[in-house]
Amino acid sequence: MNRNDLQFYNEKRVLITGHTGFKGSWLSQILVLAGAQVIGYSLEPPTVPSLFNEARIADRITHVIGDIRDRKKLMEIFTQYQPEIVFHLAAQPIVRESYKDPVGTYETNVMGTVNICEAVRQTPSVKSFLNVTTDKVYKNNEWCWGYREDEPLDGYDPYSNSKSCSELVTHSYINSFYKDMDVAVSTARAGNVIGGGDYAPDRIIPDCVRAAEKGEDIVVRNPYSTRPYQHVLEPLNVYLTIAKEQYLDHSKAGFYNVGPDESDCVTTGDIVDKFCNVWGDGIKWVNKHDGGPHEANFLKLDCSLVKQTFGWKPVWNIDKAIEMVVKFSKRRLSEPEAITDEMNSEIREFFGE
């Protein structure tokens, strides 16, 4: 998708759940630039600081604070604003947090999905609905090849398993209700994302940025785990493409893996090395495994289907993604008031303006 394709969203009523999060903030800003009427429904930003607040995104959209578990309030927002396109990003997204609060994780990620699916079912204005899940929905056999969309779903930890359940809830609503309605519904299973403005705990690039800003060594828990890393604008580009194309042609709806090319599936140690090289200032990392809960060591996606269906290919490789993270982070340090300008600059570069 390029800037011309984004014109599709001009004046469209687009509802985003989880808009105060990292991905949600970037998606909101892309849609603002595209001229969409954005309605955001989410809890308060999950981190302090937060990209949502630093970029003052609430000033440019309809900003609603609400819990995805509150079906009554969610339904009221759907009834009031009558969205045409819905992106469901709201989630409890951290593996380690899911071990601390499994019940809250399931309530948010499973019943939250039930609530959004029900709101879509009861709102005829919705023509395109995308549920964003994760690459961790698959039963992970630590294979060296990428998982395809027809592999068994069975996440190991509470977070991954709850997102597997979110997929199944969506599949059931498609089979039971949506197939007889004028709405196209897909899920997108995305890999790990990086980018400027991510302040989440227990994520390797935010950990790198925090350590670099303080001049400290970067602590790496598991340098040998392999993950599919991509810049945050990559999956958002795919989400926007899926939602647009299935809006225009319901046959494009489906279940899609969203990840980088195989060359960008790298170990945590490799990505930290790249970060250190770009940041400079002599920063380095240390290996300190803290004996934390189980996380998969090897995880990779086969993204042939989304490439074949939509003619999609990644725009920025892992080296460019790291370069943009460092650029964003250093500008934030020197010009904290320029966050929105930096986001707009990166969005325009990515989408080819």
Side-chain angles (χ1 to χ4, degrees):
M1 179 173 285
N2 56 37
R3 286 290 294 174
N4 289 333
D5 294 322
L6 283 175
Q7 289 300 310
F8 165 81
Y9 285 96
N10 186 46
E11 297 299 326
K12 292 286 194 303
R13 297 185 306 280
V14 182
L15 187 143
I16 305 170
T17 70
H19 69 291
T20 61
F22 171 55
K23 282 170 114 177
S25 296
W26 277 100
L27 179 57
S28 296
Q29 189 59 24
I30 294 169
L31 286 166
V32 165
L33 291 180
Q37 301 172 26
V38 179
I39 306 101
Y41 183 93
S42 180
L43 296 174
E44 295 284 356
T47 61
V48 178
S50 76
L51 179 61
F52 183 81
N53 286 336
E54 289 187 334
R56 301 183 300 279
I57 290 171
D59 296 345
R60 298 182 291 279
I61 68 171
T62 299
H63 169 50
V64 180
I65 294 297
D67 194 320
I68 195 69
R69 294 170 291 186
D70 186 345
R71 182 161 61 90
K72 182 175 182 292
K73 182 170 184 178
L74 180 67
M75 195 64 238
E76 289 172 353
I77 296 303
F78 269 74
T79 300
Q80 180 177 354
Y81 293 102
Q82 294 292 302
E84 302 166 81
I85 299 168
V86 176
F87 294 96
H88 179 44
L89 277 66
Q92 191 299 99
I94 306 295
V95 171
R96 287 192 165 207
E97 183 62 29
S98 76
Y99 281 100
K100 298 174 186 175
D101 183 16
V103 173
T105 298
Y106 278 100
E107 287 175 342
T108 298
N109 295 352
V110 183
M111 285 311 300
T113 301
V114 172
N115 291 341
I116 193 76
C117 284
E118 184 64 12
V120 168
R121 184 176 80 89
Q122 295 189 36
T123 311
S125 62
V126 180
K127 303 303 179 189
S128 180
F129 169 41
L130 181 67
N131 178 18
V132 175
T133 61
T134 174
D135 58 352
K136 298 176 181 64
V137 296
Y138 295 106
K139 181 180 180 182
N140 192 351
N141 298 303
E142 305 284 349
W143 288 333
C144 61
W145 56 84
Y147 292 89
R148 293 184 175 179
E149 288 83 355
D150 58 357
E151 305 279 2
L153 303 177
D154 187 14
Y156 180 100
D157 56 86
Y159 163 70
S160 304
N161 187 266
S162 69
K163 296 298 272 187
S164 301
C165 295
S166 175
E167 284 272 349
L168 295 174
V169 167
T170 309
H171 301 178
S172 176
Y173 264 78
I174 291 171
N175 293 328
S176 301
F177 306 111
Y178 298 146
K179 68 179 181 181
D180 298 319
M181 297 169 56
D182 184 23
V183 60
V185 180
S186 292
T187 66
R189 304 161 183 175
N192 291 33
V193 298
I194 62 176
D198 187 1
Y199 308 115
D202 290 326
R203 284 186 185 156
I204 188 58
I205 291 300
D207 286 347
C208 288
V209 172
R210 282 187 285 264
E213 289 176 349
K214 296 175 184 175
E216 299 174 350
D217 288 344
I218 300 165
V219 175
V220 180
R221 294 194 309 268
N222 190 353
Y224 307 111
S225 62
T226 298
R227 295 284 188 275
Y229 290 99
Q230 57 189 159
H231 192 276
V232 64
L233 293 179
E234 295 287 357
L236 296 182
N237 181 22
V238 182
Y239 304 164
L240 290 161
T241 299
I242 294 171
K244 172 198 170 186
E245 293 297 328
Q246 71 178 15
Y247 182 105
L248 299 172
D249 178 357
H250 287 10
S251 71
K252 297 291 181 67
F255 314 119
Y256 295 103
N257 287 339
V258 181
D261 287 332
E262 187 166 339
S263 60
D264 290 331
C265 293
V266 298
T267 67
T268 306
D270 287 338
I271 200 170
V272 179
D273 281 338
K274 292 176 183 292
F275 179 89
C276 292
N277 290 337
V278 177
W279 188 281
D281 299 334
I283 64 167
K284 62 184 188 302
W285 62 274
V286 293
N287 182 4
K288 287 187 179 179
H289 180 61
D290 58 7
H294 173 276
E295 294 190 47
N297 283 312
F298 195 92
L299 187 59
K300 189 164 60 174
L301 298 174
D302 184 327
C303 299
S304 303
L305 180 61
V306 74
K307 291 179 177 180
Q308 179 180 350
T309 303
F310 302 107
W312 171 78
K313 61 181 179 180
V315 178
W316 289 347
N317 63 17
I318 188 65
D319 293 316
K320 177 67 174 181
I322 292 292
E323 175 190 323
M324 299 309 288
V325 170
V326 172
K327 177 175 177 283
F328 183 105
S329 302
K330 290 195 170 185
R331 187 172 184 189
R332 175 178 176 265
L333 286 176
S334 62
E335 297 179 82
E337 73 285 353
I339 296 292
T340 303
D341 182 65
E342 180 61 29
M343 290 181 77
N344 290 345
S345 172
E346 294 186 20
I347 290 167
R348 289 179 175 121
E349 179 180 345
F350 182 90
F351 287 98
E353 180 173 298

